[in-house]
Amino acid sequence: MAIVSKKVSDLSKKEGDDKQFAGVVVRQHPDIDQPKALDVLVPELKLFPDISNDLVILEVTMPDHTKRDVYVPLEEFNKAAPDMPSVLRNARGTRGRVPGTRVGNGNG
């Protein structure tokens, strides 16, 4: 007697072997309060178009020091200022020196 296990897609309920499946973790969604794992057949991944190349992820810190992540389409983000690429180039980094400052003691 043999035990045969079958894997089934959480999306389509189609069967396949382990080599045909991708693991997908849903990290954030309005209907869940913790990450959830899905078994998805590789061809089904096309149902999730990747927009990461056109997405800007912002970390917003409010005056009360609460933080949240904001996801903005690149096209919308770039509308926030007339020359957003220049604004970003000239913005201060999150660590290190402010742009335009020089190392030294000022003696010359």
Side-chain angles (χ1 to χ4, degrees):
M1 181 151 86
I3 297 174
V4 177
S5 63
K6 296 179 182 180
K7 201 168 202 175
V8 177
S9 168
D10 289 313
L11 303 179
S12 65
K13 305 302 180 201
K14 292 181 181 174
E15 293 181 8
D17 61 41
D18 281 342
K19 294 177 185 175
Q20 295 174 294
F21 281 86
V24 175
V25 176
V26 180
R27 298 209 178 273
Q28 187 174 342
H29 186 282
D31 294 337
I32 60 174
D33 59 0
Q34 62 181 334
K36 300 289 185 170
L38 300 173
D39 292 320
V40 178
L41 287 163
V42 171
E44 294 172 335
L45 291 173
K46 70 178 180 268
L47 298 170
F48 306 125
D50 183 2
I51 61 167
S52 62
N53 290 336
D54 297 325
L55 191 65
V56 177
I57 303 171
L58 310 173
E59 178 184 289
V60 177
T61 304
M62 298 303 290
D64 66 358
H65 303 290
T66 59
K67 292 183 182 184
R68 69 185 189 114
D69 291 335
V70 177
Y71 302 85
V72 182
L74 178 61
E75 183 177 333
E76 294 301 313
F77 179 80
N78 285 339
K79 292 178 184 177
D83 185 5
M84 190 51 109
S86 177
V87 169
L88 286 175
R89 276 193 305 278
N90 294 317
R92 63 182 165 79
T94 58
R95 52 183 206 222
R97 295 185 301 275
V98 175
T101 60
R102 296 185 349 190
V103 176
N105 61 9
N107 291 334

